[in-house]
Amino acid sequence: MAMAPVGAGLVIDRHLDPSEIVSYIEYGATADQRARLESHLARCADCRAEIRDAERIIASLPLNRSWHRRGALGAAAVAAALLLVAVLPRPGRERSSLQHREAAVAATIAPVILAPVHLVDSLSAFIWRSVPNASRYEVRVFDATGSVVWHEETADTLIYAPVVAGIQAGRPYYWRVQANVGYDRHVTSELAEFTVQPLARP
Amino acid sequence: MDAYAFVIEVLRADDCRRLRAYVPDPSVRFTSWLVVVTRRLVLDFVRQRYGRSRSANLNFQEQHLARRRLEDLLTDEIDPDDLPSSGGTDADAVLRRRELTRALARALDELSSTDRLLLALRFEDERPIREIAKTLGLPSVFHVYRRLTAVLSTLRDVLRRRGIDAAQP
């Protein structure tokens, strides 16, 4: 077996080897092995970074079978080329080679709000669908008068609602998310309404 | 091109010793295994040429900040007055923070390995939810959201129980 067996109760206190990395990424490990790998990954940022990089590179490899027929060194060439683009630092790029105008965005899909919407039991997070080419999202929450009660930015499609936002149960609020899709280009979702249901009195 | 040549040279060294280290296994595709090996070689090349990045201390700081973000998120709904108090001094805040950190560390140890990894990916690495779903093998981003919500709720309950229980006579 390529991956060294890890017995019951053993903690992996070394970095993962390539076979273990691949076995985890491609779900080839048994449940026990996966649990031990995850236990190590939860503590080791370096191995998590390796998992992240390997997942992204493997996902970008061409699926054409001719790459496999070209043999091991051919596959290494592809992997090395992709890694060089991702890893090597670029000390300086001539200004003349920079493109000052990005490709025109003909049409952009607005973010679609997922939650919270209408009456909700509790408020934990604001969630929306991602927008192609969006680098940042800004969430704004308004009260019934239209005043902004809270706003925050994130690169993710989820943002947790802190208690300090002052959102009270039983009152309607409105929120929307604006996606940054380029220099001075934004696209905004529809306004959504939500109310946190008051706790039932005993 | 230098890095490419470096990788090829190392892989061919000693009669392709590194390539021969691959043990055929259905659960470990050779192409994927080679990606991981090549990545490590490219990083070796970059470090030899440009030096090792001084990220160790930065990683520690980022992990510390991530842990603080998690603590803040969990204690938003917990009244600090419910935590054990050592007396009415201005050092209470520092003491409570330390107690919270210790309690959180104990609570995290009680989570499953998958849930601990989920928190690390979300709060330390700040990975996008869709990537977390892929890494953990969850069917969709909604499964990640639900699991995160459940884990955070569990941690809050544990912290609240420990904080409140300790304050009871």
Side-chain angles (χ1 to χ4, degrees):
Chain A
M1 190 173 181
M3 195 176 81
V6 182
L10 286 182
V11 174
I12 303 176
D13 57 359
R14 51 161 174 83
H15 290 307
L16 303 182
D17 64 43
S19 294
E20 289 169 328
I21 295 284
V22 175
S23 190
Y24 183 79
I25 290 172
E26 300 189 338
Y27 314 111
T30 64
D32 280 349
Q33 289 166 341
R34 196 170 176 85
R36 283 172 198 88
L37 293 174
E38 287 177 343
S39 186
H40 171 81
L41 288 169
R43 300 189 313 273
C44 181
D46 287 341
C47 285
R48 289 200 306 272
E50 188 161 32
I51 293 277
R52 176 201 63 210
D53 290 348
E55 280 180 335
R56 291 174 179 173
I57 295 168
I58 291 168
S60 65
L61 286 177
L63 298 178
N64 190 332
R65 290 182 187 176
S66 66
W67 285 105
H68 297 286
R69 286 202 293 272
R70 289 180 195 190
L73 294 182
V78 172
L82 290 168
L83 281 163
L84 286 173
V85 172
V87 172
L88 276 182
R90 302 187 178 187
R93 188 191 288 184
E94 308 227 345
R95 293 179 68 86
S96 61
S97 69
L98 288 176
Q99 291 187 353
H100 295 283
R101 176 173 294 183
E102 59 190 345
V105 178
T108 306
I109 305 168
V112 175
I113 283 177
L114 297 176
V117 180
H118 304 316
L119 194 61
V120 294
D121 292 332
S122 63
L123 179 62
S124 59
F126 294 91
I127 310 171
W128 59 93
R129 285 215 181 100
S130 64
V131 171
N133 302 316
S135 58
R136 303 282 297 175
Y137 298 93
E138 181 179 359
V139 171
R140 285 181 186 270
V141 182
F142 310 86
D143 62 14
T145 68
S147 300
V148 176
V149 298
W150 181 66
H151 68 94
E152 189 58 79
E153 286 191 20
T154 179
D156 206 344
T157 56
L158 168 149
I159 194 165
Y160 291 100
V163 172
V164 296
I167 294 173
Q168 301 176 27
R171 296 187 177 185
Y173 291 89
Y174 305 85
W175 72 286
R176 67 180 181 211
V177 59
Q178 179 176 279
N180 183 348
V181 294
Y183 178 71
D184 206 25
R185 282 204 190 109
H186 308 94
V187 59
T188 308
S189 71
E190 296 288 335
L191 198 64
E193 180 267 341
F194 72 93
T195 302
V196 180
Q197 196 165 19
L199 292 173
R201 297 186 177 193
Chain B
M1 199 62 186
D2 287 345
Y4 169 74
F6 173 83
V7 168
I8 297 300
E9 181 183 343
V10 172
L11 288 177
R12 290 178 62 177
D14 297 332
D15 195 24
C16 300
R17 176 181 60 83
R18 282 179 188 257
L19 290 174
R20 293 177 189 281
Y22 171 73
V23 178
D25 186 279
S27 67
V28 182
R29 284 194 305 167
F30 175 72
T31 309
S32 303
W33 177 89
L34 191 59
V35 164
V36 177
V37 169
T38 305
R39 173 188 176 274
R40 292 183 177 189
L41 291 177
V42 170
L43 284 178
D44 287 344
F45 172 82
V46 170
R47 284 167 186 159
Q48 285 177 20
R49 174 163 286 198
Y50 301 106
R52 180 176 284 271
S53 66
R54 297 208 270 172
S55 62
N57 189 46
L58 189 58
N59 281 343
F60 174 78
Q61 291 174 7
E62 288 176 345
Q63 289 177 11
H64 176 69
L65 287 174
R67 184 61 60 90
R68 285 291 297 263
R69 282 199 297 271
L70 181 58
E71 289 171 2
D72 290 343
L73 180 68
L74 291 171
T75 53
D76 270 349
E77 294 183 13
I78 294 176
D79 187 344
D81 290 337
D82 289 340
L83 293 176
S85 172
S86 64
T89 67
D90 292 339
D92 272 358
V94 173
L95 182 62
R96 287 179 183 179
R97 174 62 75 173
R98 284 183 190 160
E99 287 169 345
L100 173 60
T101 301
R102 281 196 292 265
L104 178 60
R106 287 196 299 270
L108 288 172
D109 284 341
E110 295 173 9
L111 295 177
S112 70
S113 57
T114 304
D115 287 340
R116 277 184 275 123
L117 178 55
L118 172 62
L119 293 179
L121 292 172
R122 182 75 186 96
F123 290 96
E124 292 184 38
D125 301 346
E126 296 185 311
R127 293 268 300 272
I129 295 291
R130 65 184 178 282
E131 286 191 3
I132 295 176
K134 168 73 173 63
T135 298
L136 297 182
L138 297 174
S140 73
V141 294
F142 292 100
H143 288 80
V144 179
Y145 294 146
R146 280 199 288 270
R147 191 152 186 168
L148 258 177
T149 302
V151 170
L152 293 176
S153 178
T154 298
L155 287 175
R156 283 194 190 99
D157 288 344
V158 169
L159 290 179
R160 194 178 285 117
R161 268 202 314 273
R162 288 179 178 162
I164 291 175
D165 287 347
Q168 288 178 350

